[in-house]
Amino acid sequence: MLAAQGVGMNIAVGFVRSKSGWMLLVFLLLSAAISAAVASYFYNSSLNTFVAQKADENATALHLVDAFVTTYSHFRSDLGAKAPVPATFRANSIENFNKQLGLNSPFTLRWVGRQGRQITTPPVDAEMAKTIEEFAEAKDRQPESVLKTIGDRPVLRTVYPSLANEQSCVTCHNQLQPNGKKWQLNDVMGAFAIDIPVGAFLSNIAGKSFTVAICLFLVLAAIGL
C-alpha cells in the first residue's frame, strides 16, 4: 500500500516537473484570470443595468412628487393668504411619511432645501448639498443617481432638483425668509431625494459572479487536463 502511494507520488511529482505539467499550470493560471475577468464583467454589467433601471424609476417617482407640489402651489394661490396648508407642508408631510414607514423602510424620501437657505429640512450631508448647488449653477438639470454607503448600508441615492415654478411658491418662501436672499422664478430651491438600500442586491450579484467564475474555471480546467 505504501509502495503504491509512493509510486503515485513520484508520478505526480514527475508530471508537475515535466513540460506538460508546466503547460497545465500555466493554462490553469490563465483560466483563473479569464474566469475572474468574466465574473467581474458579469458583476459590473449587472450593477450598471440595475442602477440605470432604478435611477429611471426613482426619477419618474420624484417627477410625480414634484408635479404634485407644483400643482398644489398653483392652486394654493387661489385660496388666499390663509390657505389651510402651509408652504412647508411638503417637507413635513414627507417626514411624517417616512416615520410611518419605520426604520425598516425599503427607501427614504426627502425634500431638502439648499444649504443655509432651507426652511425646514437641510441637506443630509455635504455631498447632497454639493449636488444641489451644482444644480443651481447648471443649465442641464438632470436627476443624478449614485451608489454610496450610509453608515454600513449601501444605498442608491437619486437627487431630483426642485425649482420655483410658481410665483405663489416664490412669494411664500420670500415671506418665510424676509431677511434672506430673495428667491426668483426658476431658482433651484432644493431637491427631492430617494435613498434605496441595495445591500441585498449587491450580495446576490456577488454570489452569482462567484458561481460564474467557479463554473467557468472548472470547465476550462477540465479541457486543459
Side-chain angles (χ1 to χ4, degrees):
M1 183 68 176
L2 293 177
Q5 291 179 348
V7 171
M9 182 64 68
N10 290 334
I11 293 175
V13 172
F15 175 73
V16 171
R17 291 178 177 178
S18 68
K19 183 178 179 180
S20 297
W22 280 104
M23 290 178 63
L24 178 60
L25 178 60
V26 171
F27 184 82
L28 291 177
L29 292 175
L30 180 61
S31 298
I34 293 174
S35 300
V38 171
S40 177
Y41 174 80
F42 176 83
Y43 180 90
N44 289 324
S45 62
S46 299
L47 180 60
N48 291 336
T49 300
F50 172 81
V51 169
Q53 178 182 352
K54 287 300 180 182
D56 288 342
E57 292 176 0
N58 292 350
T60 300
L62 292 177
H63 179 72
L64 292 174
V65 174
D66 188 35
F68 166 75
V69 171
T70 300
T71 300
Y72 175 76
S73 298
H74 174 75
F75 286 108
R76 184 176 186 272
S77 61
D78 298 333
L79 301 177
K82 296 182 179 181
V85 182
T88 57
F89 88 99
R90 56 183 168 187
N92 291 327
S93 60
I94 288 173
E95 184 65 24
N96 290 333
F97 173 73
N98 290 328
K99 290 179 179 178
Q100 291 175 6
L101 292 178
L103 297 177
N104 296 322
S105 168
F107 70 92
T108 301
L109 171 65
R110 297 184 181 90
W111 187 87
V112 300
R114 292 172 61 176
Q115 186 71 46
R117 301 184 67 186
Q118 73 276 359
I119 292 178
T120 302
T121 310
V124 296
D125 52 42
E127 186 176 343
M128 182 179 287
K130 179 182 177 182
T131 299
I132 296 174
E133 292 306 314
E134 289 175 350
F135 284 145
E137 299 296 330
K139 294 182 179 180
D140 184 18
R141 295 162 175 169
Q142 297 299 318
E144 180 177 303
S145 294
V146 62
L147 284 171
K148 64 175 301 171
T149 300
I150 299 178
D152 58 350
R153 186 177 69 163
V155 300
L156 174 63
R157 170 175 291 175
T158 301
V159 182
Y160 185 99
S162 176
L163 276 62
N165 292 321
E166 291 288 334
Q167 183 59 49
S168 60
C169 185
V170 173
T171 301
C172 184
H173 279 70
N174 284 333
Q175 290 173 350
L176 292 172
Q177 298 175 313
N179 299 322
K181 182 179 178 180
K182 297 301 181 182
W183 296 101
Q184 305 292 332
L185 273 175
N186 297 319
D187 280 353
V188 173
M189 308 186 80
F192 295 94
I194 289 181
D195 287 345
I196 297 180
V198 294
F201 173 78
L202 294 179
S203 297
N204 184 38
I205 61 172
K208 290 182 178 179
S209 299
F210 181 76
T211 300
V212 168
I214 292 298
C215 291
L216 180 58
F217 176 76
L218 291 177
V219 170
L220 293 176
I223 294 173
L225 185 59

